[in-house]
Amino acid sequence: MKRIFVLAVAFVLCGIANVQAAGDEKNGHAYFTKTQLPNMANILPAPPEFESARFVADQSQYLWGKLMRLDEARCAQAVRDASYSMETIIEEFGGIFGLEITKEGTPEIYSILQDVCASCDSIYSDAKAYFNRMRPYTYYNEGTIVPEKEEKHRYEGSYPSGHTVLGWTSALLLADINTSPKAMEGLLARGYEFGQSRVIAGYHWQSDVDAGRMAGSVLYQLIRNHERFIGQLARARAEFAEKTGSMSNVNTIGATQHEGSAKVYRIDGTPATDATKGIVIENGQKVARK
């Protein structure tokens, strides 16, 4: 009987581990389980103690956030950023990214974004529980600009900010696909603002957001070395180049300039013709045909 009980417990624990590894950002597949990731509670400094000198900076930023709510456009952005989802990332970052991201139109980019988003929870949830920091709207007993979510998060730790992890990690990924300096500027600036939105909304202290960016950077560094991710990133970059022809290492030339005798292949290695559009390999060089 004891052996059966032990086996049952092991089965349940394996199931939990698999769920953590699978992730579930709209059926994305996380790259790691919690046990495969470093514990951010052992990396991050403890949040400022309430009423300490360090806490004054957090209080100052809380007041800054309340002032920013008077800016109608910025306040609306903070409300949109309060939705923790891949759809929010696509809607808020898509224009800066330079290509509409859809499951049907950009399957490789959509898939890698799914998996990165599905990986975010595991890097910060244990640290949140460990530090169990009170959120600013609870500390001050004040309302936020997203009142419908206040009860859900009231007793959940605020350090580090999970929304910031999602926004910052997504920005790093998208800047890794569209590698142009201009796109990187816009994507990382938007990723930064995604975190600041949590201060404006009243859900996080500034130090929560700063810690969230660090957690996101740690996570993305680990993801970049994952074998599955490396293949996905190569395919996502090729897809971006094919759809836009704007990758910095791709020469854009017109189809009419190609000679019929040229050796031309598609990215997957199959023969191409003079009429083939998109990214091709021609005489050993990658070019974008329009």
Side-chain angles (χ1 to χ4, degrees), residues 258-264 274 282-283 289:
H258 299 283
E259 298 179 3
S261 60
K263 295 179 180 180
V264 185
D274 284 340
E282 181 174 348
N283 292 330
R289 287 183 170 183

PDB file of all heavy atoms in Angstrom, residues 258-264 274 282-283 289:
ATOM      1  N   HIS A 258      17.955  39.124 -62.481  1.00  0.00           N
ATOM      2  CA  HIS A 258      18.520  37.791 -62.368  1.00  0.00           C
ATOM      3  C   HIS A 258      18.692  37.152 -63.733  1.00  0.00           C
ATOM      4  O   HIS A 258      17.825  37.247 -64.593  1.00  0.00           O
ATOM      5  CB  HIS A 258      17.616  36.904 -61.497  1.00  0.00           C
ATOM      6  CG  HIS A 258      17.478  37.425 -60.104  1.00  0.00           C
ATOM      7  ND1 HIS A 258      18.460  37.288 -59.164  1.00  0.00           N
ATOM      8  CD2 HIS A 258      16.488  38.120 -59.499  1.00  0.00           C
ATOM      9  CE1 HIS A 258      18.083  37.843 -58.046  1.00  0.00           C
ATOM     10  NE2 HIS A 258      16.884  38.370 -58.221  1.00  0.00           N
ATOM     11  N   GLU A 259      19.809  36.464 -63.905  1.00  0.00           N
ATOM     12  CA  GLU A 259      20.037  35.732 -65.131  1.00  0.00           C
ATOM     13  C   GLU A 259      19.482  34.327 -64.975  1.00  0.00           C
ATOM     14  O   GLU A 259      19.537  33.723 -63.919  1.00  0.00           O
ATOM     15  CB  GLU A 259      21.539  35.662 -65.430  1.00  0.00           C
ATOM     16  CG  GLU A 259      22.170  37.031 -65.640  1.00  0.00           C
ATOM     17  CD  GLU A 259      23.648  36.915 -65.909  1.00  0.00           C
ATOM     18  OE1 GLU A 259      24.140  35.767 -65.991  1.00  0.00           O
ATOM     19  OE2 GLU A 259      24.293  37.962 -66.069  1.00  0.00           O
ATOM     20  N   GLY A 260      18.960  33.807 -66.093  1.00  0.00           N
ATOM     21  CA  GLY A 260      18.355  32.490 -66.035  1.00  0.00           C
ATOM     22  C   GLY A 260      19.347  31.396 -65.692  1.00  0.00           C
ATOM     23  O   GLY A 260      18.964  30.321 -65.231  1.00  0.00           O
ATOM     24  N   SER A 261      20.639  31.644 -65.909  1.00  0.00           N
ATOM     25  CA  SER A 261      21.647  30.621 -65.660  1.00  0.00           C
ATOM     26  C   SER A 261      22.091  30.569 -64.198  1.00  0.00           C
ATOM     27  O   SER A 261      22.855  29.687 -63.809  1.00  0.00           O
ATOM     28  CB  SER A 261      22.872  30.886 -66.537  1.00  0.00           C
ATOM     29  OG  SER A 261      23.419  32.164 -66.243  1.00  0.00           O
ATOM     30  N   ALA A 262      21.610  31.538 -63.386  1.00  0.00           N
ATOM     31  CA  ALA A 262      22.034  31.588 -61.989  1.00  0.00           C
ATOM     32  C   ALA A 262      21.518  30.372 -61.230  1.00  0.00           C
ATOM     33  O   ALA A 262      20.430  29.874 -61.489  1.00  0.00           O
ATOM     34  CB  ALA A 262      21.520  32.864 -61.327  1.00  0.00           C
ATOM     35  N   LYS A 263      22.313  29.882 -60.266  1.00  0.00           N
ATOM     36  CA  LYS A 263      21.888  28.787 -59.417  1.00  0.00           C
ATOM     37  C   LYS A 263      21.127  29.381 -58.239  1.00  0.00           C
ATOM     38  O   LYS A 263      21.709  30.043 -57.385  1.00  0.00           O
ATOM     39  CB  LYS A 263      23.097  27.998 -58.940  1.00  0.00           C
ATOM     40  CG  LYS A 263      23.836  27.286 -60.077  1.00  0.00           C
ATOM     41  CD  LYS A 263      25.034  26.529 -59.552  1.00  0.00           C
ATOM     42  CE  LYS A 263      25.756  25.824 -60.688  1.00  0.00           C
ATOM     43  NZ  LYS A 263      26.946  25.070 -60.223  1.00  0.00           N
ATOM     44  N   VAL A 264      19.826  29.141 -58.241  1.00  0.00           N
ATOM     45  CA  VAL A 264      18.959  29.770 -57.250  1.00  0.00           C
ATOM     46  C   VAL A 264      18.221  28.694 -56.453  1.00  0.00           C
ATOM     47  O   VAL A 264      17.657  27.765 -57.036  1.00  0.00           O
ATOM     48  CB  VAL A 264      17.934  30.721 -57.905  1.00  0.00           C
ATOM     49  CG1 VAL A 264      17.126  31.465 -56.841  1.00  0.00           C
ATOM     50  CG2 VAL A 264      18.634  31.707 -58.819  1.00  0.00           C
ATOM     51  N   ASP A 274      13.347  31.966 -61.721  1.00  0.00           N
ATOM     52  CA  ASP A 274      13.457  33.416 -61.805  1.00  0.00           C
ATOM     53  C   ASP A 274      12.210  34.109 -61.280  1.00  0.00           C
ATOM     54  O   ASP A 274      12.250  35.285 -60.924  1.00  0.00           O
ATOM     55  CB  ASP A 274      13.700  33.848 -63.260  1.00  0.00           C
ATOM     56  CG  ASP A 274      15.139  33.574 -63.694  1.00  0.00           C
ATOM     57  OD1 ASP A 274      15.995  33.416 -62.801  1.00  0.00           O
ATOM     58  OD2 ASP A 274      15.396  33.505 -64.899  1.00  0.00           O
ATOM     59  N   GLU A 282      21.246  32.660 -54.028  1.00  0.00           N
ATOM     60  CA  GLU A 282      21.629  32.777 -55.431  1.00  0.00           C
ATOM     61  C   GLU A 282      23.144  32.863 -55.535  1.00  0.00           C
ATOM     62  O   GLU A 282      23.763  33.792 -54.994  1.00  0.00           O
ATOM     63  CB  GLU A 282      20.989  34.012 -56.071  1.00  0.00           C
ATOM     64  CG  GLU A 282      21.344  34.167 -57.540  1.00  0.00           C
ATOM     65  CD  GLU A 282      20.584  35.309 -58.192  1.00  0.00           C
ATOM     66  OE1 GLU A 282      19.638  35.819 -57.557  1.00  0.00           O
ATOM     67  OE2 GLU A 282      20.926  35.680 -59.311  1.00  0.00           O
ATOM     68  N   ASN A 283      23.717  31.861 -56.195  1.00  0.00           N
ATOM     69  CA  ASN A 283      25.175  31.806 -56.337  1.00  0.00           C
ATOM     70  C   ASN A 283      25.889  31.955 -54.996  1.00  0.00           C
ATOM     71  O   ASN A 283      26.881  32.665 -54.860  1.00  0.00           O
ATOM     72  CB  ASN A 283      25.663  32.887 -57.315  1.00  0.00           C
ATOM     73  CG  ASN A 283      25.222  32.608 -58.739  1.00  0.00           C
ATOM     74  OD1 ASN A 283      25.069  31.446 -59.119  1.00  0.00           O
ATOM     75  ND2 ASN A 283      25.004  33.651 -59.513  1.00  0.00           N
ATOM     76  N   ARG A 289      14.159  38.758 -53.073  1.00  0.00           N
ATOM     77  CA  ARG A 289      13.527  39.121 -54.337  1.00  0.00           C
ATOM     78  C   ARG A 289      12.182  39.739 -54.073  1.00  0.00           C
ATOM     79  O   ARG A 289      11.372  39.206 -53.318  1.00  0.00           O
ATOM     80  CB  ARG A 289      13.344  37.879 -55.218  1.00  0.00           C
ATOM     81  CG  ARG A 289      14.628  37.355 -55.833  1.00  0.00           C
ATOM     82  CD  ARG A 289      14.301  36.195 -56.733  1.00  0.00           C
ATOM     83  NE  ARG A 289      15.429  35.805 -57.530  1.00  0.00           N
ATOM     84  CZ  ARG A 289      15.376  34.842 -58.452  1.00  0.00           C
ATOM     85  NH1 ARG A 289      14.235  34.214 -58.657  1.00  0.00           N
ATOM     86  NH2 ARG A 289      16.435  34.540 -59.151  1.00  0.00           N
TER      87      ARG A 289
END
